[in-house]
Amino acid sequence: MEEDICKTFQEKIKSNPNYNRFWMDYHIYCKNFKIDDIELFVESLPILYDKIKNDGASYQIYEALRKFTIQESNKGIELLKLIQNAGDLRVLSFVPSILGGLSQSEKNYPFKEDILSLIKSDNDNEICAGVNSAYQVVIKDSEERINFLKDVNKALTPILNKKSSQCFGIITRFYNNNIRDVEEFREKVVRLLKRKEFVIQNEVARSLTEEIKREDNPEYFQRCLNLMVFTDVKHDWIYRTLYYRLKKEIVNNPKSIIEFINEWVKNNQGKQKGIKVLKDMIYDLYAEHPKVIRKLFLSWLNSDMRSYKIALHFLINELNDDIDVISLPKKDLKELSERDSLYIVFMIVGYIPDYKYTSEMLYNVLEANYENERIRNHIATFFAKHLIINHYSVTNILKAKRKKSNKIIKSIIDQVVSDSNNYYKQLSDLEFLNEFEPSETRMDYYYKQQNKLIQKLMNNEESRNESFLSMMTNISIRTGKSFFLKYDGKYTEESEMQNLKSSIEISRSRNIDEIGEEKLKLMWQNIKRDELPN
C-alpha cells in the first residue's frame, strides 16, 4: 500500500506538478514515505523542490528522508551517489537529510569525509549542500564533534575570503548553531555580519536570544545586535524577526535596545524615514519603560546631530495614531542650561510634526523653566503665533493644563488664550464676500438644462424588459424621516437614517501659505545654539 502511494505521487508530479490534490497527497506521501524505485525518486526531486521550496511544509519531506535513511542506510547510500552525480541545486538540497540520517544510522559510513569533500568543491551548490550537512549531522562523541567542527571551519576559510558566495547564509547558520562549542566562531559571525548582506543578517536575526544569548556573553550579544543596524529597510521581514526575538530584551534590557536604536539612526543617515521598521519595538519599549523613551526623545532634540531630529520627525508620524502624546522628562529638563533649553524649544517647533506632541513638549519645557523670562516668552510666542493660529484646539490643551499649573504658568496661559481668542474674533468679524457665487437666476437655468439632458438620456435607454436589470427582483422604497421597503409583496419595519459625523483639524496657516510655513520650520531647524534670539 505504501509503495503504491509513494510511486503514484511521484508519477503524478512528473506528469503534472500543479494537479489539484497535490498538497493533500504530499502530506500523505511524507507520512508514508518509502523509496522502492530510486531512479524514479531522483527524477521527481527537482519538480518536488520547485513546488515546496517556499512553503513551510517543505520540512516534512526532508525529515521523512532523514528517518528513512536511518532505517534503510544502504538505500540511502545508493541514493546519495545518484544525487551527487546530478549536481543540480534542487537535487543536492536533499543531501543534508541523507547524510544526517547516515550519521544517526548503525552503518559505519564516512559521512564526515563526504561533507568536507563537498565543502572543498568548486561548485557553489555542492558547497552549500556540504555546509548544510555539517549543520545537521549528529556526532555523539564530544571530542570527535569538536574536531569535526574545526575541520569544517578550516575548509570554509577560502570561501570566507571570497567577495561573494551564495553559501554565506548557510555558513552563518552553521557558525551560529555551534557558537558555544568553538569560541573562534563568534568572530567568524562578526566578520560575516560586516559584509552587510541580508542573507547573513537574516540568519543572525533568527539566532539572537536563541544561539546568541546575552547571558553567555553580553558584550558579544550587543556587538552582533548593533551590526544589524546596517540591514536595509526594504528587508522588513528581518526587522520583524528582530522585533520578535527581542521582546524579552525590551522588557529586561531597555538600555541595550536604546543603544541599538541610536546606532540605527547614526548609521542610516538619509534613510531616517525607514525608522518605521522599528516602530513596534519603540512602541513596546514605551509601554514597558516610558521614562526611557522620554529621555531618548530629549537627547535627540538636544543633539547637534541632525539625523536624530529627522528620525524623531518620522517616528512621531508613525506613533501618533497609537500614542496620543509623549512628554519630555521634567527632571532632566531642569538640569539643562538656559541655552540648551531654548535650543530644544526651537527644535520642537522645527521638527515635531504633530501639534499635540509639540504642545505637550513645549509645556514640559515651560514647566521646567517657568521662572526664566527669556524661555517662557519664546514658548508663549510659539503657542500664540504659531500653534494656536494653526490649530485652535491647542487652547483646549492649555486650558486643561491650567488646572494643575502654578500662578506664573496660569497667567501665561491666560494671556496666550486671550490673544488667540482676539485673533479668531477678528477673523470671524470679517465681512463674507460672495463675489464668485452665481446668481439664483443663473443656477435655475443651469438646473433646467441639466434636467433636460438627463431626461433625454433616460428616453434613449433601452427598454427595461430587454436589459440585464429585467432579471433583478423589483424593490420599492419609500423615504421621509424614516424609510421602509416593499419586497416580495410585503413591507419591512420602519427604519431611521443615522447621522455619522467625522472631523479633523487641519493646519490653517499651512493651507494658506505652505511655502511660508515650511520656510519658518526650516529656519527653526537650522538655528545654532550661539544664534538663539534674546
Side-chain angles (χ1 to χ4, degrees), residues 130-282:
V131 179
N132 201 354
S133 301
Y135 165 73
Q136 294 190 38
V137 292
V138 177
I139 302 174
K140 292 180 180 178
D141 183 81
S142 178
E143 187 177 347
E144 182 187 354
R145 181 171 177 272
I146 297 298
N147 288 333
F148 172 66
L149 293 176
K150 289 180 177 179
D151 289 340
V152 172
N153 177 47
K154 188 176 178 181
L156 288 173
T157 300
I159 301 166
L160 294 176
N161 292 329
K162 291 181 181 179
K163 286 186 177 180
S164 63
S165 171
Q166 70 182 48
C167 306
F168 282 151
I170 190 62
I171 290 172
T172 307
R173 187 181 301 179
F174 165 77
Y175 282 130
N176 284 341
N177 190 54
N178 300 290
I179 208 163
R180 295 180 184 177
D181 299 309
V182 184
E183 184 65 28
E184 65 180 286
F185 285 7
R186 295 183 189 278
E187 286 305 314
K188 297 287 185 179
V189 174
V190 169
R191 182 179 168 188
L192 282 161
L193 266 176
K194 287 179 178 178
R195 288 178 173 273
K196 303 176 185 178
E197 294 186 20
F198 79 91
V199 289
I200 297 167
Q201 293 160 341
N202 186 45
E203 291 298 333
V204 172
R206 289 170 57 183
S207 293
L208 281 171
T209 71
E210 191 64 34
E211 288 92 10
I212 303 173
K213 293 189 175 184
R214 174 178 292 282
E215 52 267 34
D216 291 341
N217 190 326
E219 198 174 302
Y220 177 73
F221 177 89
Q222 193 66 45
R223 194 176 173 196
C224 288
L225 178 59
N226 289 351
L227 283 169
M228 291 298 292
V229 302
F230 297 104
T231 307
D232 197 309
V233 293
K234 69 183 179 183
H235 305 307
D236 57 350
W237 72 89
I238 298 178
Y239 284 100
R240 286 197 295 272
T241 303
L242 262 182
Y243 166 62
Y244 172 75
R245 286 292 182 189
L246 294 173
K247 276 183 173 290
K248 287 185 179 178
E249 290 293 310
I250 290 169
V251 176
N252 300 323
N253 294 288
K255 287 183 180 179
S256 171
I257 306 301
I258 290 295
E259 184 178 332
F260 168 71
I261 294 167
N262 280 326
E263 285 295 314
W264 188 95
V265 176
K266 265 195 282 185
N267 291 282
N268 283 275
Q269 293 189 35
K271 304 175 187 175
Q272 291 93 335
K273 193 173 183 178
I275 200 169
K276 63 184 178 182
V277 296
L278 303 181
K279 175 194 170 181
D280 291 336
M281 193 182 294
I282 294 169

Side-chain angles (χ1 to χ4, degrees), residues 26-172:
Y26 169 75
H27 294 302
I28 297 170
Y29 171 67
C30 293
K31 190 175 180 180
N32 300 280
F33 186 79
K34 192 174 181 181
I35 302 173
D36 285 291
D37 188 336
I38 291 179
E39 290 186 358
L40 176 62
F41 176 72
V42 174
E43 287 174 16
S44 69
L45 287 183
I47 304 166
L48 185 58
Y49 174 83
D50 286 337
K51 189 72 179 175
I52 66 171
K53 63 182 178 180
N54 294 321
D55 195 279
S58 60
Y59 81 93
Q60 291 181 343
I61 183 63
Y62 297 118
E63 183 63 13
L65 181 56
R66 184 185 66 80
K67 288 179 179 178
F68 173 80
T69 307
I70 294 171
Q71 300 298 323
E72 302 278 352
S73 54
N74 287 329
K75 281 191 176 181
I77 294 167
E78 186 181 348
L79 178 60
L80 181 63
K81 290 177 181 177
L82 282 173
I83 287 176
Q84 285 178 326
N85 289 334
D88 187 334
L89 170 65
R90 296 174 298 173
V91 178
L92 284 169
S93 67
F94 293 89
V95 166
S97 296
I98 300 171
L99 287 171
L102 288 171
S103 73
Q104 293 177 271
S105 72
E106 295 180 0
K107 189 81 173 177
N108 189 22
Y109 182 79
F111 61 88
K112 291 182 288 184
E113 286 77 1
D114 268 20
I115 290 170
L116 292 170
S117 176
L118 286 167
I119 292 172
K120 292 173 182 176
S121 168
D122 292 329
N123 185 314
D124 271 1
N125 295 337
E126 290 183 358
I127 295 170
C128 289
V131 179
N132 201 354
S133 301
Y135 165 73
Q136 294 190 38
V137 292
V138 177
I139 302 174
K140 292 180 180 178
D141 183 81
S142 178
E143 187 177 347
E144 182 187 354
R145 181 171 177 272
I146 297 298
N147 288 333
F148 172 66
L149 293 176
K150 289 180 177 179
D151 289 340
V152 172
N153 177 47
K154 188 176 178 181
L156 288 173
T157 300
I159 301 166
L160 294 176
N161 292 329
K162 291 181 181 179
K163 286 186 177 180
S164 63
S165 171
Q166 70 182 48
C167 306
F168 282 151
I170 190 62
I171 290 172
T172 307

Side-chain angles (χ1 to χ4, degrees), residues 293-418:
I293 291 297
R294 289 169 187 155
K295 282 177 173 284
L296 178 70
F297 283 10
L298 179 59
S299 69
W300 284 5
L301 287 166
N302 196 30
S303 170
D304 288 323
M305 188 180 289
R306 193 162 182 259
S307 299
Y308 286 127
K309 286 164 280 198
I310 295 172
L312 184 58
H313 172 91
F314 289 116
L315 180 57
I316 287 174
N317 268 337
E318 293 293 327
L319 292 174
N320 62 5
D321 287 336
D322 302 308
I323 303 173
D324 195 36
V325 290
I326 295 176
S327 59
L328 300 177
K330 187 175 178 180
K331 183 181 176 182
D332 293 39
L333 283 167
K334 283 184 174 181
E335 293 172 356
L336 296 175
S337 66
E338 179 189 69
R339 189 175 76 155
D340 288 344
S341 297
L342 192 56
Y343 177 76
I344 287 168
V345 168
F346 278 87
M347 294 305 104
I348 290 170
V349 293
Y351 283 101
I352 306 302
D354 183 90
Y355 73 91
K356 288 182 289 184
Y357 275 72
T358 305
S359 301
E360 178 68 21
M361 291 179 178
L362 283 179
Y363 185 80
N364 297 148
V365 180
L366 178 62
E367 265 192 316
N369 296 275
Y370 67 89
E371 292 179 332
N372 187 304
E373 186 179 359
R374 183 185 179 197
I375 294 174
R376 71 180 186 229
N377 285 346
H378 278 290
I379 292 174
T381 301
F382 280 127
F383 269 119
K385 298 190 178 299
H386 174 64
L387 277 169
I388 297 179
I389 284 177
N390 277 297
H391 302 278
Y392 182 74
S393 61
V394 172
T395 57
N396 296 328
I397 295 172
L398 289 176
K399 286 174 183 176
K401 296 285 188 187
R402 186 185 185 281
K403 296 174 183 177
K404 295 182 180 180
S405 61
N406 59 46
K407 290 182 179 180
I408 296 175
I409 295 177
K410 279 180 181 177
S411 67
I412 294 169
I413 291 173
D414 290 342
Q415 186 61 50
V416 168
V417 172
S418 174

